[in-house]
Structure formats: C-alpha cells, structure tokens
Amino acid sequence: MNATDEHNEEPNEHKWVCQIMVAEGVIGVLGNLLVCYVILRVKFLHNMTNYLLVNLAVADMLLCLQVFLYYLTSDCKLIDFSRFGNSVRDLFCRLLSSKFLGWVLSYASAYNLCVVTLERYIAIVHPLRYARKLTTARIVTLIVLMWVISFLISLPIIFTIEPSNNPNKICSIKYPHPLFPILLSIFTFLFGYLLPLTLMSLAYYKMQVTLKRQAKALKLQHARAAAYDLVIARQNLVSMLRTVLGALIVLWTVDYFAILLCFQQTDKAQFLFCGSTGYHYTRVFANSLFNFNSVINPIIYEFKYKKFRQGLKVAFFSCFKRHGGNRVDFAMFINFGAQSSP
C-alpha cells in the first residue's frame, strides 16, 4: 500500500494535518508580509541588508502561500481535481502535488539567506572592498540568478509524478528510471541543505571572530563611542542572522535526512519502508517543522533585531506621535535610528 492509499483511509489524520499546515501557511504569509511592509515603509531600515531580508521574506511568504494552497486542495479537499480535465489535473500534479513549487521556494529561501550572509561577510571581513564588489547592479544580478537557479534545479521533480488513471487517485508517482529517486534525493540533500548551510556556518564563524577582534582593538585604543557602538550593532545583527540560520538547521534537518532516505512517500522509492505508515508519519512531522521555518523568521526579527523593533513602532504608531510636542520626539527617534543603522 502506498502513501496515497493510506491517506484515503485516514480522514481524521487528514483533518488535523490540514488544520496545522493551513494555520502555518496563514501565519507565515501574514508575518512575512509584515516584515516587507515595515522595512519598505520605514526610512532608517532602507539599507542593503534589509532589502535582502525583504527578498528572503518574499521567498518565505510564497512558500507559506504554496503550503496553504497545497493542503487546502489535497488534504482539506477544498477542490476535487479529479472532476477536472487532464490538462488541469496534470498542472495540479506536476506543480502542487509533486511539491515542485515548494522546492523552488525552499531553494530560494536557502540561497537568499546565502546572499544575505555574503553581503554581511564582505561588509565585515573585507570592508574596503564592499563598495567595489557589492554594487546595486551586482546584488540585483545575484538575486535574479538565485531565483533562476532555484527554478532550474527543481525542474526534475516535475517528472516524478503524473495524473493517475485510477478513479480513486488524482496523481500517481512514476520515475523515469529506478536510479532517478536516489540521484534526486542525494542532489537535493547536497545542494538544498548541506552545501549552503556549511558555507553560511563558516562565514558566520569568520564574521564573529572578526567582530570580536575589532571590538577588542577599539576598546584597547579607547576609540570614540560611535565607532565602538557600530561594531556592537554589527555584532547584534550577525547574532540575529546566526539565529535565523540556527532555526533553519534545526527545522530542516529532519526533513532533509528523511528525503535522503526516500525522496517521496511511495514503495517505488529507494527502500520498501518509504511507503509505510511509520515513514508517512515521520514525513508529516518533518514537513511541519520544515514549513515552520518560514513562519519563525519574523518572530526572530522581533526578538533579536533591535532596528526592526524600532521600525515596527514607527510603522504602526507614527500616527500617535504626530500630535503636539511628540512630533519633535518622533523626528528625533527616526534620525537616531537612521544614524545608528549598521
């Protein structure tokens, strides 16, 4: 029995899985939309790092939206695609049921974080080369290239599933070759998980060492408070980004190791247990953790990113600061945030 047949026999499980995933999707879309709104609206948050965080939030928001649509149409059965024509069913199977869109957006999320890490790495470890190496044109090129690569390396997933001739199933898993799922799982593990996370971990280690050395040198030289405060602000930003990376590692690890064993939940995969009930529950749990990573980033910004907290107050409470003497205080608050941005 494959995983799809098991799903048809477990409506109660469908119900709670659907509710959890749909809730994650809604919260993730709203949270990442809030990040985009705050950063784009508040002037002192307008810098390269925060613009890259907006791009990361867009990738996470689209991933949450994909999760919302997928579980509404598959587990919640809001739309019965079995009643549609072959072309609509084919699109549903190859884009949503295969999780092609989900993989594109998860690659984009990981690679977006890589671009953020690269920007901070050059700014901290090679500050004299920053203006020359990271021009606006190069950053835009990097972002476009990252999205194109995420799309291209996810294309093989389209060929792992197709519309089913069975009236009880909409889609069926079909591999072009027995080695295809093995190669795909290894490729996905290496390029979606191991390589980007390893490179980012090494970069953050190097940044932390550099910042500690700079702070120690400034303290010994009794440098001006503004210079020392700038280093501390950069340390805090790197600490926040390390927390984002740590959350990604914790929440993605179970799913990626499960994928390394079995790319999809079917007995046609690498091992016989890939279509078992136990493995199915493991993947449900792992998928829930994986999707939660796109929900948690706005929460991390709120607790770990001081400038974002200030921006949140400015964005939503500015109307209360525009009356009487508070208008001057509000202007001073904005100027302070702009001057002290790392």
Side-chain angles (χ1 to χ4, degrees):
M1 180 183 294
N2 61 33
T4 306
D5 294 332
E6 291 170 2
H7 289 174
N8 293 331
E9 295 179 5
E10 297 176 359
N12 290 332
E13 177 212 334
H14 268 186
K15 186 175 180 180
W16 65 262
V17 169
C18 172
Q19 291 172 345
I20 292 174
M21 296 300 187
V22 167
E24 283 188 357
V26 172
I27 296 170
V29 168
L30 294 177
N32 286 289
L33 193 60
L34 176 66
V35 171
C36 296
Y37 172 76
V38 170
I39 291 177
L40 294 178
R41 189 176 190 276
V42 179
K43 191 173 181 179
F44 66 75
L45 291 176
H46 291 181
N47 58 52
M48 187 64 73
T49 304
N50 289 330
Y51 287 144
L52 292 175
L53 289 180
V54 167
N55 197 44
L56 175 62
V58 169
D60 284 338
M61 180 174 62
L62 292 176
L63 180 59
C64 291
L65 182 61
Q66 181 269 335
V67 170
F68 175 78
L69 294 175
Y70 171 74
Y71 281 95
L72 274 184
T73 54
S74 61
D75 281 25
C76 300
K77 301 202 179 292
L78 183 68
I79 301 174
D80 187 1
F81 281 91
S82 61
R83 299 178 182 177
F84 287 84
N86 288 334
S87 58
V88 176
R89 291 170 59 202
D90 189 62
L91 281 174
F92 169 76
C93 291
R94 296 191 185 279
L95 297 182
L96 274 180
S97 190
S98 68
K99 297 189 178 179
F100 165 75
L101 291 178
W103 281 112
V104 171
L105 296 168
S106 65
Y107 278 122
S109 183
Y111 294 159
N112 262 305
L113 193 53
C114 285
V115 175
V116 176
T117 303
L118 175 66
E119 189 270 340
R120 284 291 85 197
Y121 179 82
I122 294 178
I124 292 169
V125 181
H126 304 290
L128 298 179
R129 303 178 188 175
Y130 183 88
R132 180 170 53 88
K133 285 184 173 291
L134 291 184
T135 62
T136 302
R138 286 185 176 179
I139 288 292
V140 171
T141 302
L142 267 178
I143 291 172
V144 172
L145 188 63
M146 176 272 304
W147 281 99
V148 171
I149 290 174
S150 299
F151 178 82
L152 291 177
I153 63 179
S154 302
L155 276 178
I157 297 170
I158 291 178
F159 304 102
T160 64
I161 198 166
E162 62 183 16
S164 174
N165 295 322
N166 188 335
N168 297 322
K169 293 192 297 181
I170 301 174
C171 308
S172 61
I173 294 172
K174 184 178 181 181
Y175 296 121
H177 190 275
L179 289 177
F180 191 80
I182 299 174
L183 296 175
L184 200 56
S185 62
I186 294 173
F187 179 87
T188 301
F189 181 82
L190 289 177
F191 290 95
Y193 175 81
L194 190 61
L195 181 62
L197 268 57
T198 301
L199 292 176
M200 285 189 285
S201 298
L202 292 173
Y204 282 119
Y205 172 76
K206 178 67 174 177
M207 281 188 275
Q208 192 65 27
V209 170
T210 302
L211 285 170
K212 283 184 177 180
R213 185 172 65 246
Q214 290 175 355
K216 185 177 181 180
L218 288 172
K219 198 171 183 179
L220 290 174
Q221 294 170 8
H222 301 287
R224 287 187 303 173
Y228 186 73
D229 289 345
L230 179 61
V231 172
I232 297 302
R234 286 181 171 178
Q235 282 183 331
N236 292 336
L237 180 57
V238 168
S239 175
M240 183 274 293
L241 291 173
R242 283 207 327 269
T243 303
V244 172
L245 176 61
L248 186 145
I249 293 172
V250 170
L251 296 172
W252 278 17
T253 297
V254 177
D255 198 53
Y256 268 103
F257 274 96
I259 288 165
L260 187 61
L261 292 175
C262 310
F263 188 77
Q264 286 167 319
Q265 301 171 52
T266 172
D267 49 16
K268 297 178 183 178
Q270 297 95 303
F271 304 103
L272 291 177
F273 66 80
C274 295
S276 67
T277 303
Y279 181 75
H280 167 68
Y281 283 119
T282 300
R283 284 298 293 271
V284 168
F285 173 71
N287 285 337
S288 178
L289 291 181
F290 187 95
N291 296 329
F292 187 66
N293 179 73
S294 297
V295 178
I296 201 173
N297 284 347
I299 301 172
I300 293 174
Y301 300 156
E302 171 62 24
F303 283 98
K304 295 283 290 182
Y305 192 10
K306 183 180 179 181
K307 289 293 179 292
F308 181 78
R309 287 200 304 272
Q310 293 174 346
L312 196 62
K313 293 174 183 178
V314 172
F316 286 97
F317 299 110
S318 59
C319 59
F320 299 106
K321 303 287 185 178
R322 292 175 182 169
H323 301 286
N326 285 338
R327 184 180 300 176
V328 177
D329 296 337
F330 181 60
M332 292 176 61
F333 176 73
I334 292 179
N335 291 331
F336 173 77
Q339 292 169 4
S340 59
S341 295

